[in-house]
Amino acid sequence: MQNLGLEQRGHVLLIAGGPAVHRRTVQVAPSANLAALGVVPASALLNSGVSSDTTYLDGARDPNLVLTRLRTAAATRGPLLVYLSGRLTVDRRSRRLHLALATTTAGSVRYTALPWEWLAAELRDRPARSTTVLLDLVADKTAWPLLQEYGSLPVTPSAEVYGVVSPPGFAGSGNTVSGYTRCWIDQLASSPGRPANLQLHALALGAAALPPGTVVLPTARELAAPTSASVAASVPVQPSAPAAPEAPGPTATATAITPTPTPTPTLTDPRPHIHALATAGRHTEAAALAQAWEEHVVQQTGPGSPEATRWLEIRADLARMAGTFGTATRLWTSAGLIRLARQSPDAPEVHAAAAGALYCWTQLRDQGTALDTAPELIRFLRALRSFDSRHIEMAQQRLEFLHRAPSRS
Protein backbone atom coordinates (compact mmCIF):
# COMPACT_ATOMS: atom_id res chain seq x y z
CA MET A 1 0.00 0.00 0.00
CA GLN A 2 1.07 3.57 -0.58
CA ASN A 3 2.07 5.79 2.30
CA LEU A 4 -1.13 7.65 3.21
CA GLY A 5 0.82 10.31 5.11
CA LEU A 6 2.79 11.13 1.98
CA GLU A 7 -0.40 11.27 -0.08
CA GLN A 8 -1.88 13.87 2.22
CA ARG A 9 1.12 16.19 2.53
CA GLY A 10 0.61 19.64 1.03
CA HIS A 11 2.97 22.26 -0.33
CA VAL A 12 3.07 26.06 -0.62
CA LEU A 13 5.50 27.45 -3.20
CA LEU A 14 6.01 31.22 -3.10
CA ILE A 15 8.01 32.69 -5.99
CA ALA A 16 9.15 36.31 -6.20
CA GLY A 17 10.33 37.30 -9.65
CA GLY A 18 12.00 40.54 -10.58
CA PRO A 19 10.28 43.81 -9.60
CA ALA A 20 8.36 45.92 -12.10
CA VAL A 21 9.47 49.55 -12.23
CA HIS A 22 7.99 52.50 -14.11
CA ARG A 23 9.73 55.88 -14.06
CA ARG A 24 11.80 54.82 -11.06
CA THR A 25 8.68 53.91 -9.09
CA VAL A 26 8.18 50.26 -8.14
CA GLN A 27 4.87 48.97 -9.50
CA VAL A 28 4.99 45.57 -7.84
CA ALA A 29 7.44 44.54 -5.11
CA PRO A 30 7.52 40.72 -5.15
CA SER A 31 9.75 40.48 -2.07
CA ALA A 32 7.27 42.51 -0.01
CA ASN A 33 4.45 40.29 -1.23
CA LEU A 34 6.32 37.13 -0.22
CA ALA A 35 7.12 38.56 3.20
CA ALA A 36 3.45 39.28 3.79
CA LEU A 37 2.32 35.85 2.64
CA GLY A 38 5.03 34.23 4.71
CA VAL A 39 3.24 35.04 7.96
CA VAL A 40 -0.03 33.45 6.79
CA PRO A 41 -0.36 29.85 8.03
CA ALA A 42 0.00 27.30 5.27
CA SER A 43 -3.27 25.72 6.39
CA ALA A 44 -5.09 28.96 5.55
CA LEU A 45 -3.37 29.33 2.19
CA LEU A 46 -4.14 25.72 1.26
CA ASN A 47 -7.56 25.64 2.92
CA SER A 48 -6.48 22.31 4.38
CA GLY A 49 -5.32 20.95 7.71
CA VAL A 50 -2.86 18.43 6.26
CA SER A 51 0.82 18.66 7.10
CA SER A 52 2.62 20.77 4.54
CA ASP A 53 5.90 22.28 3.42
CA THR A 54 6.56 25.86 2.38
CA THR A 55 9.23 26.94 -0.09
CA TYR A 56 10.26 30.58 -0.57
CA LEU A 57 12.09 31.65 -3.72
CA ASP A 58 13.04 35.30 -3.38
CA GLY A 59 15.76 36.82 -5.52
CA ALA A 60 16.30 33.72 -7.65
CA ARG A 61 18.61 34.29 -10.63
CA ASP A 62 18.60 30.88 -12.29
CA PRO A 63 15.40 29.68 -14.04
CA ASN A 64 16.59 26.07 -13.69
CA LEU A 65 16.62 26.45 -9.89
CA VAL A 66 13.05 27.72 -10.02
CA LEU A 67 12.11 24.79 -12.26
CA THR A 68 13.59 22.32 -9.78
CA ARG A 69 11.60 23.81 -6.89
CA LEU A 70 8.47 23.86 -9.04
CA ARG A 71 8.96 20.22 -10.00
CA THR A 72 9.40 19.22 -6.36
CA ALA A 73 6.26 21.08 -5.35
CA ALA A 74 4.24 19.57 -8.20
CA ALA A 75 5.25 16.08 -7.07
CA THR A 76 3.50 16.49 -3.71
CA ARG A 77 0.49 14.23 -3.22
CA GLY A 78 -1.63 16.71 -1.34
CA PRO A 79 -2.96 20.23 -2.00
CA LEU A 80 -0.60 22.69 -3.69
CA LEU A 81 -0.58 26.48 -3.84
CA VAL A 82 1.83 28.20 -6.22
CA TYR A 83 2.09 31.97 -5.83
CA LEU A 84 3.98 34.09 -8.36
CA SER A 85 4.60 37.80 -8.21
CA GLY A 86 6.73 39.98 -10.44
CA ARG A 87 7.13 41.17 -14.02
CA LEU A 88 5.97 39.38 -17.13
CA THR A 89 8.26 39.93 -20.09
CA VAL A 90 8.88 38.47 -23.54
CA ASP A 91 11.81 36.86 -25.26
CA ARG A 92 11.77 39.01 -28.36
CA ARG A 93 13.30 36.32 -30.56
CA SER A 94 10.71 33.61 -29.85
CA ARG A 95 7.87 35.86 -28.59
CA ARG A 96 7.40 33.63 -25.54
CA LEU A 97 6.19 34.91 -22.18
CA HIS A 98 8.60 34.69 -19.25
CA LEU A 99 8.56 35.62 -15.58
CA ALA A 100 11.53 37.95 -15.13
CA LEU A 101 13.90 36.94 -12.34
CA ALA A 102 16.30 39.03 -10.26
CA THR A 103 18.87 39.77 -12.97
CA THR A 104 16.67 39.65 -16.08
CA THR A 105 17.26 42.39 -18.66
CA ALA A 106 15.70 42.94 -22.06
CA GLY A 107 18.64 41.18 -23.72
CA SER A 108 18.93 38.25 -21.30
CA VAL A 109 15.36 36.99 -21.10
CA ARG A 110 16.14 33.65 -22.77
CA TYR A 111 18.81 32.83 -20.18
CA THR A 112 17.74 34.52 -16.95
CA ALA A 113 13.90 34.39 -16.92
CA LEU A 114 11.43 31.55 -16.31
CA PRO A 115 9.54 30.49 -19.46
CA TRP A 116 5.85 30.66 -18.67
CA GLU A 117 5.06 27.33 -20.30
CA TRP A 118 7.31 25.57 -17.78
CA LEU A 119 4.68 26.31 -15.15
CA ALA A 120 1.93 24.65 -17.16
CA ALA A 121 4.14 21.70 -18.06
CA GLU A 122 4.93 20.90 -14.43
CA LEU A 123 1.36 21.28 -13.17
CA ARG A 124 -0.67 19.67 -15.94
CA ASP A 125 -0.50 16.11 -14.56
CA ARG A 126 -1.61 17.10 -11.06
CA PRO A 127 -4.92 15.63 -9.84
CA ALA A 128 -7.99 17.75 -10.53
CA ARG A 129 -9.00 20.23 -7.81
CA SER A 130 -5.69 19.85 -5.96
CA THR A 131 -3.81 22.85 -7.35
CA THR A 132 -4.27 26.59 -6.94
CA VAL A 133 -2.17 29.16 -8.79
CA LEU A 134 -2.28 32.69 -7.40
CA LEU A 135 -0.81 35.51 -9.50
CA ASP A 136 0.02 39.15 -8.80
CA LEU A 137 1.92 40.32 -11.87
CA VAL A 138 2.71 43.32 -14.03
CA ALA A 139 3.18 42.94 -17.79
CA ASP A 140 5.92 45.11 -19.24
CA LYS A 141 5.54 46.89 -22.57
CA THR A 142 6.85 43.89 -24.49
CA ALA A 143 4.51 41.39 -22.78
CA TRP A 144 1.34 43.47 -22.74
CA PRO A 145 0.55 43.21 -26.49
CA LEU A 146 1.04 39.43 -26.39
CA LEU A 147 -1.21 39.18 -23.34
CA GLN A 148 -3.90 41.13 -25.20
CA GLU A 149 -3.47 38.80 -28.16
CA TYR A 150 -3.96 35.75 -25.95
CA GLY A 151 -6.86 37.35 -24.10
CA SER A 152 -5.70 35.59 -20.94
CA LEU A 153 -2.62 34.15 -19.25
CA PRO A 154 -2.74 30.40 -19.87
CA VAL A 155 -1.55 28.09 -17.12
CA THR A 156 -3.20 24.64 -17.15
CA PRO A 157 -6.82 23.44 -17.07
CA SER A 158 -5.99 21.18 -14.10
CA ALA A 159 -5.39 24.16 -11.77
CA GLU A 160 -7.61 26.85 -10.30
CA VAL A 161 -5.99 30.11 -11.41
CA TYR A 162 -6.77 33.43 -9.72
CA GLY A 163 -5.01 36.73 -9.94
CA VAL A 164 -4.35 39.96 -11.75
CA VAL A 165 -1.93 41.17 -14.40
CA SER A 166 -1.56 44.94 -14.33
CA PRO A 167 -0.70 46.86 -17.51
CA PRO A 168 2.60 48.68 -18.05
CA GLY A 169 2.82 52.35 -17.25
CA PHE A 170 0.65 52.69 -14.14
CA ALA A 171 1.97 54.52 -11.10
CA GLY A 172 2.98 51.92 -8.52
CA SER A 173 2.84 52.10 -4.75
CA GLY A 174 6.54 51.57 -4.09
CA ASN A 175 8.14 48.85 -2.01
CA THR A 176 4.96 47.84 -0.23
CA VAL A 177 2.60 44.89 -0.53
CA SER A 178 0.55 45.26 -3.69
CA GLY A 179 -3.18 45.80 -3.45
CA TYR A 180 -4.48 42.44 -4.69
CA THR A 181 -2.13 40.36 -2.51
CA ARG A 182 -2.74 42.56 0.53
CA CYS A 183 -6.51 42.30 0.13
CA TRP A 184 -6.33 38.53 -0.34
CA ILE A 185 -4.42 38.27 2.94
CA ASP A 186 -6.80 40.70 4.68
CA GLN A 187 -9.83 38.66 3.67
CA LEU A 188 -8.21 35.47 4.96
CA ALA A 189 -7.58 37.19 8.28
CA SER A 190 -10.94 38.95 8.66
CA SER A 191 -13.43 36.36 7.44
CA PRO A 192 -14.91 34.25 10.28
CA GLY A 193 -14.84 31.13 8.09
CA ARG A 194 -12.26 30.53 5.39
CA PRO A 195 -14.03 31.55 2.14
CA ALA A 196 -13.62 29.48 -1.00
CA ASN A 197 -10.90 30.65 -3.38
CA LEU A 198 -13.34 32.21 -5.83
CA GLN A 199 -14.94 34.16 -2.99
CA LEU A 200 -11.54 35.32 -1.74
CA HIS A 201 -10.73 36.40 -5.28
CA ALA A 202 -13.99 38.35 -5.54
CA LEU A 203 -13.46 40.01 -2.18
CA ALA A 204 -9.87 40.96 -3.04
CA LEU A 205 -10.91 42.40 -6.40
CA GLY A 206 -13.58 44.48 -4.74
CA ALA A 207 -11.22 45.86 -2.14
CA ALA A 208 -8.08 46.42 -4.24
CA ALA A 209 -7.64 49.63 -6.23
CA LEU A 210 -6.65 47.96 -9.49
CA PRO A 211 -5.17 50.01 -12.35
CA PRO A 212 -7.54 50.55 -15.32
CA GLY A 213 -7.23 47.79 -17.88
CA THR A 214 -5.96 45.16 -15.44
CA VAL A 215 -6.40 41.61 -16.73
CA VAL A 216 -8.37 39.64 -14.14
CA LEU A 217 -7.98 35.86 -14.07
CA PRO A 218 -10.01 33.82 -14.65
CA THR A 219 -11.35 35.75 -17.63
CA ALA A 220 -14.99 35.89 -18.68
CA ARG A 221 -14.43 33.06 -21.16
CA GLU A 222 -12.81 30.88 -18.51
CA LEU A 223 -15.50 31.67 -15.95
CA ALA A 224 -18.23 30.66 -18.37
CA ALA A 225 -17.64 26.95 -17.86
CA PRO A 226 -18.08 26.73 -14.04
CA THR A 227 -20.69 29.48 -13.88
CA SER A 228 -24.16 28.03 -13.38
CA ALA A 229 -26.68 28.20 -16.18
CA SER A 230 -28.93 30.37 -14.06
CA VAL A 231 -26.31 33.11 -14.24
CA ALA A 232 -24.69 32.67 -17.62
CA ALA A 233 -27.53 31.42 -19.83
CA SER A 234 -28.53 33.56 -22.78
CA VAL A 235 -32.08 33.84 -24.08
CA PRO A 236 -32.59 32.72 -27.72
CA VAL A 237 -34.41 35.21 -29.90
CA GLN A 238 -37.63 33.90 -31.44
CA PRO A 239 -40.75 35.50 -32.92
CA SER A 240 -42.81 37.08 -30.19
CA ALA A 241 -46.42 37.80 -29.45
CA PRO A 242 -48.03 41.01 -30.72
CA ALA A 243 -46.98 44.11 -28.87
CA ALA A 244 -48.45 44.35 -25.38
CA PRO A 245 -48.87 47.37 -23.16
CA GLU A 246 -45.48 48.50 -21.95
CA ALA A 247 -44.49 47.13 -18.57
CA PRO A 248 -42.74 49.20 -15.96
CA GLY A 249 -39.26 49.94 -17.24
CA PRO A 250 -35.99 49.22 -15.50
CA THR A 251 -35.82 52.68 -13.96
CA ALA A 252 -36.75 51.28 -10.57
CA THR A 253 -33.88 48.78 -10.72
CA ALA A 254 -31.13 50.48 -12.68
CA THR A 255 -29.33 51.62 -9.55
CA ALA A 256 -29.24 48.17 -7.94
CA ILE A 257 -25.45 47.98 -8.25
CA THR A 258 -24.87 51.48 -6.95
CA PRO A 259 -22.89 51.32 -3.69
CA THR A 260 -24.95 51.43 -0.53
CA PRO A 261 -23.85 50.68 3.04
CA THR A 262 -21.34 47.84 2.97
CA PRO A 263 -22.72 44.41 3.90
CA THR A 264 -21.66 42.58 7.05
CA PRO A 265 -18.82 41.84 7.66
CA THR A 266 -17.47 45.37 7.05
CA LEU A 267 -15.34 45.20 3.89
CA THR A 268 -14.60 47.56 1.03
CA ASP A 269 -17.66 47.61 -1.23
CA PRO A 270 -17.01 45.60 -4.43
CA ARG A 271 -19.99 47.04 -6.29
CA PRO A 272 -18.09 49.78 -8.16
CA HIS A 273 -15.74 47.16 -9.59
CA ILE A 274 -18.61 44.81 -10.52
CA HIS A 275 -20.53 47.66 -12.12
CA ALA A 276 -17.44 48.66 -14.10
CA LEU A 277 -17.12 45.11 -15.42
CA ALA A 278 -20.78 45.05 -16.46
CA THR A 279 -20.71 48.43 -18.18
CA ALA A 280 -17.55 47.32 -20.03
CA GLY A 281 -19.46 44.34 -21.40
CA ARG A 282 -17.69 41.79 -19.19
CA HIS A 283 -21.02 40.40 -18.03
CA THR A 284 -19.95 36.85 -17.16
CA GLU A 285 -17.16 38.12 -14.90
CA ALA A 286 -19.51 40.59 -13.22
CA ALA A 287 -22.15 37.91 -12.64
CA ALA A 288 -19.68 35.38 -11.27
CA LEU A 289 -18.10 37.87 -8.86
CA ALA A 290 -21.52 39.03 -7.66
CA GLN A 291 -22.59 35.44 -7.11
CA ALA A 292 -19.39 34.72 -5.17
CA TRP A 293 -19.98 37.75 -2.95
CA GLU A 294 -23.63 36.72 -2.44
CA GLU A 295 -22.53 33.26 -1.33
CA HIS A 296 -20.09 34.85 1.12
CA VAL A 297 -22.81 37.10 2.53
CA VAL A 298 -25.17 34.12 2.85
CA GLN A 299 -22.50 32.32 4.88
CA GLN A 300 -22.16 35.32 7.19
CA THR A 301 -25.79 36.45 7.55
CA GLY A 302 -27.89 33.47 6.46
CA PRO A 303 -30.15 32.84 3.46
CA GLY A 304 -32.98 35.33 3.10
CA SER A 305 -31.18 38.00 5.12
CA PRO A 306 -31.55 41.61 3.94
CA GLU A 307 -27.92 41.66 2.86
CA ALA A 308 -28.23 38.41 0.89
CA THR A 309 -31.47 39.61 -0.72
CA ARG A 310 -29.75 42.80 -1.81
CA TRP A 311 -27.11 40.76 -3.61
CA LEU A 312 -29.80 38.66 -5.26
CA GLU A 313 -31.21 41.93 -6.63
CA ILE A 314 -27.76 43.00 -7.81
CA ARG A 315 -27.43 39.75 -9.71
CA ALA A 316 -30.87 40.33 -11.20
CA ASP A 317 -29.88 43.75 -12.46
CA LEU A 318 -26.62 42.41 -13.86
CA ALA A 319 -28.63 39.80 -15.79
CA ARG A 320 -30.85 42.57 -17.15
CA MET A 321 -27.78 44.55 -18.25
CA ALA A 322 -26.45 41.44 -19.99
CA GLY A 323 -29.75 40.86 -21.78
CA THR A 324 -30.33 37.49 -20.09
CA PHE A 325 -33.93 38.34 -19.33
CA GLY A 326 -35.00 34.84 -18.29
CA THR A 327 -32.41 34.80 -15.52
CA ALA A 328 -33.26 38.38 -14.58
CA THR A 329 -36.99 37.55 -14.33
CA ARG A 330 -36.34 34.60 -12.03
CA LEU A 331 -33.94 36.49 -9.80
CA TRP A 332 -36.14 39.57 -9.47
CA THR A 333 -39.17 37.39 -8.71
CA SER A 334 -37.26 35.39 -6.10
CA ALA A 335 -35.98 38.58 -4.46
CA GLY A 336 -39.47 40.06 -4.43
CA LEU A 337 -41.02 37.00 -2.80
CA ILE A 338 -38.29 36.96 -0.14
CA ARG A 339 -38.94 40.63 0.61
CA LEU A 340 -42.70 40.06 0.62
CA ALA A 341 -42.27 37.45 3.35
CA ARG A 342 -40.92 40.08 5.75
CA GLN A 343 -42.05 43.43 4.33
CA SER A 344 -45.34 45.09 3.52
CA PRO A 345 -46.74 44.48 0.01
CA ASP A 346 -46.62 48.26 -0.38
CA ALA A 347 -42.91 48.56 0.46
CA PRO A 348 -40.92 50.40 -2.24
CA GLU A 349 -38.34 47.59 -2.40
CA VAL A 350 -41.09 45.03 -3.06
CA HIS A 351 -42.57 47.17 -5.82
CA ALA A 352 -39.11 47.72 -7.32
CA ALA A 353 -38.59 43.96 -7.52
CA ALA A 354 -42.01 43.54 -9.13
CA ALA A 355 -41.31 46.24 -11.70
CA GLY A 356 -37.93 44.71 -12.51
CA ALA A 357 -39.34 41.19 -12.86
CA LEU A 358 -42.24 42.29 -15.05
CA TYR A 359 -40.09 44.44 -17.30
CA CYS A 360 -37.59 41.62 -17.88
CA TRP A 361 -40.40 39.12 -18.52
CA THR A 362 -41.88 41.34 -21.23
CA GLN A 363 -38.49 41.40 -22.97
CA LEU A 364 -38.41 37.61 -23.32
CA ARG A 365 -38.71 36.34 -26.87
CA ASP A 366 -38.40 32.65 -26.10
CA GLN A 367 -41.85 31.15 -25.66
CA GLY A 368 -40.75 28.33 -23.38
CA THR A 369 -38.82 30.59 -21.01
CA ALA A 370 -41.69 33.07 -20.88
CA LEU A 371 -44.16 30.29 -20.03
CA ASP A 372 -41.86 28.80 -17.40
CA THR A 373 -41.30 32.08 -15.56
CA ALA A 374 -44.85 33.45 -15.81
CA PRO A 375 -46.76 31.56 -13.06
CA GLU A 376 -44.50 32.56 -10.18
CA LEU A 377 -44.23 36.11 -11.51
CA ILE A 378 -48.01 36.54 -11.75
CA ARG A 379 -48.52 34.97 -8.33
CA PHE A 380 -46.07 37.54 -6.95
CA LEU A 381 -47.78 40.44 -8.71
CA ARG A 382 -51.24 39.41 -7.49
CA ALA A 383 -49.99 39.47 -3.89
CA LEU A 384 -49.26 43.23 -4.18
CA ARG A 385 -52.50 45.01 -3.41
CA SER A 386 -51.30 48.43 -4.58
CA PHE A 387 -49.48 47.32 -7.74
CA ASP A 388 -51.01 48.75 -10.92
CA SER A 389 -53.72 46.28 -11.94
CA ARG A 390 -53.26 47.15 -15.61
CA HIS A 391 -49.81 45.60 -15.55
CA ILE A 392 -51.15 42.44 -13.93
CA GLU A 393 -53.89 42.21 -16.58
CA MET A 394 -51.30 42.73 -19.33
CA ALA A 395 -49.16 39.91 -17.93
CA GLN A 396 -52.17 37.60 -17.71
CA GLN A 397 -53.20 38.40 -21.29
CA ARG A 398 -49.71 37.74 -22.57
CA LEU A 399 -49.60 34.43 -20.71
CA GLU A 400 -52.91 33.39 -22.27
CA PHE A 401 -51.57 34.32 -25.72
CA LEU A 402 -48.43 32.27 -25.13
CA HIS A 403 -50.53 29.25 -24.16
CA ARG A 404 -52.58 29.55 -27.39
CA ALA A 405 -49.59 30.24 -29.67
CA PRO A 406 -48.06 27.26 -31.52
CA SER A 407 -44.89 26.01 -29.88
CA ARG A 408 -41.71 27.12 -31.63
CA SER A 409 -39.39 24.78 -29.80
Side-chain angles (χ1 to χ4, degrees):
M1 293 180 63
Q2 291 179 309
N3 187 315
L4 294 179
L6 178 61
E7 287 183 355
Q8 295 301 314
R9 196 166 188 87
H11 200 110
V12 175
L13 175 60
L14 308 177
I15 300 174
V21 180
H22 176 66
R23 294 180 180 176
R24 301 183 180 179
T25 299
V26 176
Q27 296 171 294
V28 63
S31 296
N33 288 346
L34 252 63
L37 279 168
V39 301
V40 179
S43 58
L45 293 174
L46 294 171
N47 195 18
S48 173
V50 302
S51 300
S52 60
D53 304 298
T54 300
T55 300
Y56 302 85
L57 280 179
D58 190 0
R61 297 165 178 259
D62 181 1
N64 291 297
L65 170 64
V66 180
L67 177 62
T68 299
R69 298 293 187 268
L70 181 60
R71 188 166 292 164
T72 300
T76 188
R77 302 282 183 167
L80 170 65
L81 172 75
V82 179
Y83 172 85
L84 299 101
S85 182
R87 173 172 61 94
L88 275 182
T89 191
V90 166
D91 167 17
R92 294 173 180 173
R93 179 180 298 182
S94 64
R95 292 194 77 234
R96 295 160 62 200
L97 284 171
H98 289 67
L99 176 69
L101 299 181
T103 60
T104 301
T105 64
S108 69
V109 173
R110 295 179 64 200
Y111 312 104
T112 63
L114 180 74
W116 192 254
E117 64 263 27
W118 287 8
L119 179 66
E122 295 304 321
L123 298 180
R124 68 177 166 224
D125 294 329
R126 296 259 314 155
R129 298 182 297 278
S130 68
T131 309
T132 302
V133 178
L134 185 60
L135 307 172
D136 195 340
L137 304 167
V138 174
D140 67 17
K141 63 182 180 181
T142 66
W144 188 249
L146 192 58
L147 196 63
Q148 299 301 295
E149 180 182 320
Y150 289 163
S152 180
L153 183 59
V155 179
T156 173
S158 65
E160 291 183 48
V161 182
Y162 302 101
V164 293
V165 185
S166 300
F170 74 94
S173 56
N175 290 303
T176 60
V177 182
S178 54
Y180 178 76
T181 295
R182 175 178 48 77
C183 291
W184 184 284
I185 295 170
D186 288 348
Q187 304 310 332
L188 274 176
S190 63
S191 299
R194 204 280 193 184
N197 286 333
L198 179 58
Q199 293 173 325
L200 276 173
H201 176 63
L203 295 169
L205 289 177
L210 299 176
T214 295
V215 173
V216 176
L217 304 168
T219 64
R221 181 181 68 254
E222 293 157 343
L223 276 170
T227 301
S228 66
S230 64
V231 173
S234 60
V235 181
V237 177
Q238 295 188 3
S240 62
E246 186 176 352
T251 54
T253 65
T255 59
I257 314 174
T258 303
T260 55
T262 306
T264 303
T266 302
L267 300 167
T268 302
D269 196 333
R271 276 166 273 200
H273 177 71
I274 292 173
H275 185 263
L277 288 174
T279 54
R282 296 162 66 178
H283 298 294
T284 306
E285 282 176 274
L289 294 179
Q291 186 171 20
W293 182 276
E294 181 194 6
E295 291 169 359
H296 175 74
V297 170
V298 167
Q299 288 180 356
Q300 305 305 316
T301 65
S305 67
E307 295 87 351
T309 305
R310 181 63 174 161
W311 277 95
L312 190 63
E313 292 168 340
I314 288 171
R315 289 178 53 215
D317 205 36
L318 289 170
R320 176 192 64 80
M321 294 174 69
T324 55
F325 292 112
T327 297
T329 301
R330 292 186 182 96
L331 293 174
W332 273 120
T333 303
S334 297
L337 288 171
I338 292 171
R339 286 195 177 277
L340 188 59
R342 65 171 186 266
Q343 293 181 255
S344 164
D346 300 327
E349 296 86 355
V350 176
H351 274 230
L358 183 55
Y359 170 80
C360 293
W361 185 70
T362 63
Q363 304 306 301
L364 283 170
R365 297 297 176 260
D366 178 64
Q367 182 180 357
T369 306
L371 285 170
D372 287 344
T373 53
E376 189 173 39
L377 169 64
I378 293 176
R379 177 172 69 86
F380 171 41
L381 298 180
R382 290 191 179 281
L384 309 183
R385 54 178 176 260
S386 60
F387 197 72
D388 193 330
S389 61
R390 293 175 299 173
H391 296 313
I392 300 175
E393 292 169 5
M394 177 271 291
Q396 187 64 53
Q397 289 170 1
R398 186 181 187 221
L399 178 59
E400 292 170 359
F401 175 87
L402 290 170
H403 278 299
R404 294 194 305 269
S407 173
R408 298 182 175 88
S409 60

